[in-house]
């Protein structure tokens, strides 16, 4: 990670107007209201004079991270309010903080940060749900299916609390080793599919939030770890595992520096169909060229949605002795601040979907010309004989369900069902199956079950019931039990 910084390509822009005023975020400031709306991109506007205004020109955000201790720090809060439009909690939403004891959740410190941020017009990145570090103490006594279940319960419990409120969640953090293999951890020991299970659980828990994989040292395209994570995301996208974004922490501290191929890394991930974001940026001694280069790389990749620095002032940094942030200890912007601001203002790409103005007022006048010609040929004879036998599954009007064992361990397994529709669109489906004796369903995602042993039916979730002709979707479930016998009598019924 010692490549030279990307070359500088500074551009300036002439002033025009910003669509929605100075800082054009449509911020929702009441915590009970869901995610604040993203800014409307307008590259023809005047340069932004704050980080967030400059980022919003291209439909991006500029974020920071804060601990609950900063809620009493007016110096921090003043800059946060002025410059940033996305917030991450440094430690307060990590597993040890949110679930100190089994099933006993504590959101007080996380909520305090969330409330302050959203009351000041910011959106929120959740960090993080499943990680080898900062785990609840009680996870240390768990392994195998018990730890797997604890992880799933944790994701469900935390995401239920913040449902509909966040823009992004770091579902899994730092699961890869430097050589591109999986990092060994207690979560990894529950089975190689733990990341997939985490994402499927997360999607079912809150379909509204973008689900991210987040890691450090994945900025250099040729590095083993980068390739490992890239292959994970590629595999997930190919198999329909729900992942929406990759967070590149961008810690160019502790010996790391900006690689010359950073933009290639960002665009390669984006080409898989995910958003990318720089989620924890800091740079040794706040090198202006590295800050400029990392910002420009993001601005050059349409699906690079934003940049977060891990703190505001050097005194906020986890690596404070490297003075790696954009503001000094007296709250003054450093030269790197200006280089970032200029690179944000020089963006030439916008985030897809941010250039269309949001809907304004619905039309007030009804259409003046009603349809003049009524249908000429009304249906003549209704069918006299209703069908006596339901169509076989997989035929028009039917659906089929195919089972796959994803992974097994001593005392349980994870199964997957692929529901495939016939040739007529349907609005819902139910899968029936029979579990072997002694088996119990512990969790279902992308569907909800009735019964958890013996004869079980699994109904679609709200978001995956509608299937077009021949379309398919998958659901997953965890089973506890002494045998790994596959479910029998599997069938599918359209709603
Ligand atoms: O709160 C206790 C305090 O009571 C105790 O007196 C003190 C003694 O050491 O520790 C305090 O907890 C510390 C906590 O930060 C809050 O300050 C922990 O020891 C310390 O380990 C913890 O460090 C955090 C680190 O994650 C843990 O891995 C950093 O603040 C936080 O910035 C850092 O953030 C991570 C991201 O989540 C993931 N990417 C890397 C990034 C930097 O390490």
């Amino acid at each position: 990670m010692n490549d030279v910084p990307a070359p500088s390509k500074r551009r300036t822009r002439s002033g025009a107007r910003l669509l929605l005023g100075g800082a054009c975020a449509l911020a929702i400031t009441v915590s009970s209201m869901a995610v604040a709306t993203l800014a409307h991109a307008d590259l023809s506007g005047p340069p932004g004079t704050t980080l967030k205004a400059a980022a919003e020109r291209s439909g991006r955000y500029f974020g920071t991270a804060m601990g609950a201790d900063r809620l009493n720090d007016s110096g921090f809060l003043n800059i946060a309010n002025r410059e940033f439009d996305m917030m991450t909690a440094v430690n307060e939403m990590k597993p040890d903080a949110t679930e100190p004891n089994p099933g006993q959740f504590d959101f007080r410190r996380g909520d305090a940060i969330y409330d302050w941020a959203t009351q000041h017009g910011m959106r929120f990145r959740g960090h993080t749900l499943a990680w080898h570090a900062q785990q609840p103490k009680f996870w240390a006594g768990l392994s195998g299916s018990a730890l797997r279940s604890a992880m799933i319960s944790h994701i469900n419990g935390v995401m239920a609390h913040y449902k509909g409120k966040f823009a992004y969640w770091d579902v899994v953090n730092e699961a890869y080793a430097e050589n591109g293999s999986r990092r060994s951890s207690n979560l990894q020991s529950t089975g190689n599919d733990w990341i997939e299970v985490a994402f499927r659980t997360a999607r079912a828990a809150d379909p509204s939030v973008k689900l991210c994989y987040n890691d450090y040292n994945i900025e250099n395209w040729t590095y083993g770890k980068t390739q490992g994570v890239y292959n994970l995301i590629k595999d997930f996208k190919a198999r329909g595992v729900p992942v929406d974004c990759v967070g590149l922490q961008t810690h160019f501290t502790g010996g790391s520096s900006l690689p010359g191929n950073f933009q290639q890394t960002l665009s390669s991930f984006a080409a898989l169909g995910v958003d990318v974001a720089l989620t924890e940026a800091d740079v040794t001694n706040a090198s202006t060229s590295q800050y400029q280069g990392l910002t420009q790389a993001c601005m050059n990749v349409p699906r690079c949605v934003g940049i977060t620095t891990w703190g505001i002032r050097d005194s906020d940094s986890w690596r404070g002795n490297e003075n790696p942030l954009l503001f000094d200890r007296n709250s003054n912007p450093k030269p790197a601040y200006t280089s970032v601001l200029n690179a944000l203002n020089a963006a030439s790409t916008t985030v897809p979907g941010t250039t269309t103005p949001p809907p304004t007022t619905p039309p007030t006048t009804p259409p003046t010309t009603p349809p003049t010609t009524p249908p000429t040929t009304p249906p003549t004879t209704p069918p006299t004989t209703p069908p006596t036998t339901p169509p076989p599954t997989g035929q028009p009007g039917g659906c089929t369900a195919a089972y796959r064992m994803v992974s097994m361990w001593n005392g349980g397994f994870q199964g997957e069902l692929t529901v495939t529709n016939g040739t007529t669109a349907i609005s819902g489906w139910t899968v029936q199956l029979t579990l072997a004796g002694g088996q119990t369903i512990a969790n279902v995602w992308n569907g909800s079950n009735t019964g958890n042993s013996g004869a079980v039916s699994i109904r679609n979730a709200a978001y995956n019931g509608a299937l077009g002709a021949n379309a398919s979707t998958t659901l997953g479930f965890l089973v506890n039990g002494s045998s790994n016998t596959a479910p029998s009598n599997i069938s599918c019924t359209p709603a």
Side-chain angles (χ1 to χ4, degrees), residues 350-384:
T350 55
V351 173
T354 61
T355 48
T356 309
T360 46
T361 353
T364 46
T365 29
T368 47
T369 328
T372 47
T373 6
T376 49
T377 328
T380 49
T381 19
T384 48

Side-chain angles (χ1 to χ4, degrees), residues 393-424:
T393 55
Q395 299 303 306
C399 56
T400 57
Y403 171 74
R404 179 173 81 91
M405 167 76 78
V406 177
S407 68
M408 60 182 82
W409 54 89
N410 199 6
F413 65 92
Q414 181 195 341
E416 181 182 87
L417 286 162
T418 301
V419 175
T420 303
N421 188 25
T423 54
T424 306

Side-chain angles (χ1 to χ4, degrees), residues 90-91 94 127 131 134 173-174 249 251 280 310 318:
V90 173
N91 289 306
K94 290 173 177 174
H127 174 80
W131 190 22
Q134 288 178 277
N173 193 42
E174 301 174 2
Q249 293 184 8
H251 288 298
E280 303 180 14
W310 205 239
W318 69 302

Side-chain angles (χ1 to χ4, degrees), residues 109-143:
R109 291 187 311 144
D111 284 355
I113 295 173
Y114 174 83
D115 287 345
W116 185 86
T118 51
Q119 283 158 11
H120 291 81
M122 302 175 195
R123 295 188 299 149
F124 215 91
R125 295 191 85 255
H127 174 80
T128 178
L129 294 164
W131 190 22
H132 68 273
Q134 288 178 277
Q135 296 184 348
K137 283 195 176 66
F138 71 91
W139 284 17
L142 304 176
S143 61

Side-chain angles (χ1 to χ4, degrees), residues 299-322:
M299 297 305 108
N300 286 349
V301 176
R303 287 197 74 164
C304 186
V305 294
I307 300 172
T308 291
T309 55
W310 205 239
I312 294 180
R313 305 156 305 183
D314 291 330
S315 50
D316 304 315
S317 172
W318 69 302
R319 283 212 158 114
N321 60 344
E322 294 187 39

Side-chain angles (χ1 to χ4, degrees), residues 242-262:
V243 60
D244 305 307
C245 36
V246 173
L248 299 96
Q249 293 184 8
T250 319
H251 288 298
F252 295 142
T253 44
S256 293
S257 58
L258 173 70
N261 57 22
F262 189 33

